[in-house]
Amino acid sequence: ATRDAKIVAHIVKSNPSASIRDFGGDFPAYLVAESERHRIDFRLAMAVIEKESGWVPGAVGRHGEVGLMQMLPATGTLVASRLKDESFRSPRGRDLGTLGEARASVRYGLEYLHWQVQEFGIGPVSLRAYNRNPSKARVHRPADRYAEDVAARFLVLVHVLPRAVLAARD
């Protein structure tokens, strides 16, 4: 199977009600391209998405986080401003806005994660900075297993989607 087919298979395994509209077509290639553009392993991006939303594009968190990568609207507005993306729409009522669109959530989420990796290096602190406020990324919270959970998912994905297989893409 191709890399893209394996990515879709993993998404469907994680979210059996996944829509072909959200994840079909070129979504896997888009995810990989955006990850490469941000110099983040696409499997790490997938691990963050799995942890954040369970691959549910319309997910809304208890603090108002939206989309696959569960970004707060205020953070989305900040990212849009830095990207000079005038098409950004904040969530309003049932309309989840730009962050409720699978591709946009990936683009914005990876941009924001990239900022954290630039600031804190790749590792637990940058993952916590993504999930929390970056100013609280180094605060020790023994019950907070976010970075460990993402790392465990990443390790599974490394075995499900190994680079050697991906290099010999059909």
Side-chain angles (χ1 to χ4, degrees), residues 10 14 43-55 145-161:
H10 185 78
S14 299
R43 297 166 300 185
L44 180 59
M46 289 177 69
V48 169
I49 292 168
E50 198 168 298
K51 173 67 177 167
E52 289 287 346
S53 68
W55 290 101
R145 307 274 312 151
Y146 181 83
E148 293 82 353
D149 289 350
V150 170
R153 285 172 167 83
F154 173 71
L155 289 173
V156 168
L157 287 162
V158 165
H159 290 284
V160 172
L161 298 163

Side-chain angles (χ1 to χ4, degrees), residues 9-22:
H10 185 78
I11 292 169
V12 170
K13 183 178 177 190
S14 299
N15 173 10
S17 65
S19 164
I20 191 76
R21 186 185 53 131
D22 291 317

Side-chain angles (χ1 to χ4, degrees), residues 16 98 147:
T98 300

Side-chain angles (χ1 to χ4, degrees), residues 3 103 120 131 169:
R3 174 201 65 204
R103 284 170 173 73
F120 300 106
N131 181 250
R169 219 177 126 192

Side-chain angles (χ1 to χ4, degrees), residues 112 116 120 129 132-139:
Y112 188 66
Q116 306 319 313
F120 300 106
R132 306 176 185 172
N133 185 304
S135 67
K136 298 176 183 168
R138 289 193 170 100
V139 175

